[in-house]
Amino acid sequence: MPASILLLSVTNSRFMGAMAVSAAEGAGQGGAVVTVKVLRGLYSVAQQEKSEREPLIPEFGRPEDLLEFDGVLLLLRDANDAARAVRFMKQAANLPEYKQFVGKVASAFFVPGSGSIDLEGRRKELAYEMMKLGFLAAELPYRFLADNNLGDTDEQSMAGPSLVQLVAARLHARHIGALTTRIHVDPYFRSELVG
C-alpha cells in the first residue's frame, strides 16, 4: 500500500487550486497518494459565493484528518496563512490520539513571490508546532525566487501562478512524497529518524 499525504491548501481560489494540483502531481511522482483539502479561514462573502460556484478543492481539512495520513503538506501564501496553519496544528495537539503523529512527515511550502515580508519566522514557528506533535518537519535545502509577485487583488490571483511557482510546488511535494514513501515502506528508516 502506498504512502498517503494530506495536502492542505489555504483557499480554493483558482491560483491556489492550480498550485495544489501541481503539488499533488509532484507528491504522486514521489510515490504517494494525495488527498487535497482546504484549511478553514475567514473569507469574504464574495469569495464564499465564488467558491460555491466553482469548487476547486472539495472539502475543509480537520485536525482529525491528520490521523489518517502518513504525512501532511501545507501549501501557504503568506504570514496570515502560516498563522492559520499554526492554529490548525495547535488544534491537532488537543486530540486524544495526538501521539499517533510521531514519525509522520510534515512540511510547509510557501509559494515563492508571496510578498516582501520575511516568512522565515513564521516557517520556524510552524515547524516548531509540527515537531511538538512528533512530526518530522521536512524542508527543501533551497528556496525558489519567483518571477511574479502575489497580491491580494483579483487580477493577480486570476492570472494564475507562474511556471516557476508551479515547478517549485511540484519539486517540494515530490521530495515530501518520496520521503513519506520511504518512511512508510522502511520501518527501520523511520525508527532511525524518530530515535
Side-chain angles (χ1 to χ4, degrees):
M1 186 170 160
S4 59
I5 291 182
L6 175 60
L7 176 68
L8 288 171
S9 180
V10 289
T11 67
N12 62 355
S13 68
R14 220 177 273 278
F15 183 95
M16 290 306 285
M19 293 296 294
V21 167
S22 183
E25 289 173 356
Q29 290 172 348
V33 175
V34 181
T35 301
V36 181
K37 295 189 180 185
V38 176
L39 273 174
R40 285 196 185 277
L42 300 174
Y43 298 100
S44 67
V45 173
Q47 266 186 317
Q48 289 175 1
E49 290 173 357
K50 184 178 178 181
S51 67
E52 288 172 4
R53 283 181 279 149
E54 302 177 24
L56 298 175
I57 300 174
E59 62 182 297
F60 288 107
R62 300 170 303 137
E64 297 85 14
D65 293 339
L66 296 174
L67 298 168
E68 302 170 16
F69 295 91
D70 300 310
V72 61
L73 175 58
L74 299 163
L75 192 59
L76 310 171
R77 285 181 313 193
D78 55 28
N80 290 333
D81 296 341
R84 283 197 296 173
V86 166
R87 183 173 171 264
F88 183 82
M89 288 296 168
K90 287 182 178 182
Q91 289 173 343
N94 294 329
L95 294 174
E97 307 93 348
Y98 74 93
K99 291 184 180 180
Q100 292 180 17
F101 300 141
V102 174
K104 292 184 177 187
V105 176
S107 184
F109 175 78
F110 286 90
V111 176
S114 295
S116 59
I117 60 168
D118 182 27
L119 295 172
E120 197 58 34
R122 287 294 190 175
R123 182 186 319 276
K124 288 177 182 176
E125 180 184 8
L126 187 52
Y128 176 71
E129 289 299 327
M130 292 175 185
M131 288 186 287
K132 279 188 350 186
L133 289 171
F135 283 107
L136 301 171
E139 295 278 334
L140 286 181
Y142 46 85
R143 300 278 183 256
F144 291 90
L145 297 175
D147 51 355
N148 68 339
N149 288 323
L150 297 177
D152 294 329
T153 63
D154 289 335
E155 294 84 26
Q156 289 174 329
S157 64
M158 291 302 288
S162 71
L163 182 60
V164 171
Q165 291 165 327
L166 291 170
V167 169
R170 182 179 298 245
L171 290 175
H172 186 95
R174 184 169 60 195
H175 171 74
I176 299 306
L179 180 61
T180 304
T181 300
R182 171 101 190 269
I183 290 171
H184 179 72
V185 171
D186 187 357
Y188 179 72
F189 182 63
R190 179 181 179 163
S191 66
E192 280 185 2
L193 291 174
V194 174

